[in-house]
Amino acid sequence: MAQDPARYRPKMYPPPEFPPRRVPLFANTPPALFPPILGLLGLVAALRIGAGRLGVGQDVVDLAAGMVVLLWIAAACIYAAKLARRAGVIHEDLAVMPSRAGLA
């Protein structure tokens, strides 16, 4: 075993932060949030057409359409908040797209 040189001190590492640093709100929003929401929009559009052809009431279908549109608006606002914080996030999201529909 080699001997340490005289006056050798091991490298000092900083202690971990306590409490740990909090991530800003909406900073970890994935772009893969949008393909399922777009699928729901397509499903609601198909339900509207199907309900119209079957002669069933449109009330429940319109309620579902309103809920999905509000969900899409909320997701778009959350992603816009992420973009407003850091504009380079689009390049980072495109670099590691979770699927082919990652940034729909």
Side-chain angles (χ1 to χ4, degrees):
M1 197 170 192
Q3 287 200 356
D4 294 331
R7 298 183 198 183
Y8 173 77
R9 296 182 100 180
K11 186 175 181 181
M12 296 294 292
Y13 291 102
E17 294 180 10
F18 187 78
R21 214 176 278 180
R22 295 187 73 187
V23 178
L25 193 62
F26 307 130
N28 292 332
T29 304
L33 183 71
F34 291 99
I37 295 174
L38 293 175
L40 283 174
L41 283 170
L43 182 63
V44 166
L47 283 174
R48 292 189 87 182
I49 293 172
R53 292 207 177 144
L54 292 176
V56 182
Q58 291 278 335
D59 299 337
V60 176
V61 178
D62 287 340
L63 177 66
M67 289 171 46
V68 173
V69 167
L70 284 177
L71 177 66
W72 185 85
I73 289 171
C77 289
I78 289 170
Y79 199 73
K82 180 180 176 180
L83 284 176
R85 179 174 291 118
R86 215 167 27 107
V89 79
I90 291 180
H91 178 61
E92 294 171 12
D93 286 344
L94 287 174
V96 289
M97 272 202 302
S99 67
R100 284 185 266 166
L103 202 59

